[in-house]
Amino acid sequence: MKCMRLISALCVLALGGCGAASRQNVVPRHYTLGNSAPAASQTPPRSSGATLRIARIDMPAWLQGTGLYYRLAYRNDDVVAAYANSDWAAPPADLLEQRLRNALAAGGWHAVVGPGSTTQADLTLHVKLDDFSQGFTSSSESFGVLDATTTLVGANDAVIAQRHFRFRIAAPTADAAGGVKALDAASRDFA
């Protein structure tokens, strides 16, 4: 009987040590979008002379932190969860704003400024981000989703144009790193 207790106690200690060792090997990963510098073009675009402001990106509360979110579409597409050991280095809106500013600055504007700038702008681009997450169609296949509406507003607050964008890009792997690559591609297409 004493021998059984001793063996049981040793097993519990050994299993506890294995659990502690596996927790110590988990390294949190903080992702960012890839190089957001615009590609060099052969002929520089002509400047329109107008200054564009990118307003602070509007998004639902669940996207306002740095969580890297996913949905298991094959189980319940309505449930959004965050990876435990992977997240964004900054909120998705901040990452997208920088990518948009870089892409639009290469598009012929006199200047492109962010929401914190006090520069007088001729036009303002409003972005409403509805989804920026990874979806799984099965345990081995996933995709990145960027769903947003943009509205271009003139200096007198008149709406000039509005467009809805939805990108669904296949992920190379069914994990956080694959989701990041798919969302990086989706945000590049969006910009």
Side-chain angles (χ1 to χ4, degrees):
M1 186 73 163
K2 281 185 173 181
C3 185
M4 285 301 270
R5 286 186 190 162
L6 181 62
I7 290 173
S8 295
L10 287 174
C11 286
V12 168
L13 286 174
L15 289 174
C18 290
S22 68
R23 283 190 299 273
Q24 291 171 355
N25 292 334
V26 174
V27 177
R29 297 188 187 253
H30 307 289
Y31 292 98
T32 186
L33 296 177
N35 183 3
S36 58
S41 65
Q42 303 245 328
T43 57
R46 283 185 23 186
S47 173
S48 69
T51 298
L52 175 68
R53 174 183 318 282
I54 299 176
R56 190 161 314 283
I57 295 177
D58 182 32
M59 71 197 99
W62 64 273
L63 277 174
Q64 292 177 4
T66 58
L68 181 53
Y69 291 98
Y70 65 91
R71 298 170 196 263
L72 301 177
Y74 62 96
R75 284 194 187 157
N76 187 352
D77 196 36
D78 296 334
V79 177
V80 179
Y83 281 100
N85 294 308
S86 297
D87 61 8
W88 294 108
D94 295 351
L95 299 172
L96 278 175
E97 178 199 320
Q98 185 62 46
R99 176 153 279 176
L100 281 172
R101 281 182 36 204
N102 289 345
L104 292 170
W109 296 94
H110 172 70
V112 177
V113 298
S117 174
T118 58
T119 302
Q120 186 68 22
D122 302 297
L123 301 163
T124 302
L125 181 66
H126 295 273
V127 178
K128 183 176 183 295
L129 184 64
D130 292 316
D131 197 356
F132 194 70
S133 66
Q134 180 179 15
F136 285 83
T137 53
S138 71
S139 62
S140 61
E141 291 184 6
S142 69
F143 55 90
V145 174
L146 186 153
D147 193 350
T149 302
T150 59
T151 306
L152 186 63
V153 176
N156 59 356
D157 290 334
V159 173
I160 295 171
Q162 186 174 62
R163 183 169 173 198
H164 181 81
F165 296 88
R166 180 164 176 84
F167 296 96
R168 180 179 162 148
I169 307 289
T173 57
D175 57 9
V180 167
K181 287 180 182 175
L183 290 167
D184 181 59
S187 68
R188 220 178 11 258
D189 290 351
F190 176 61

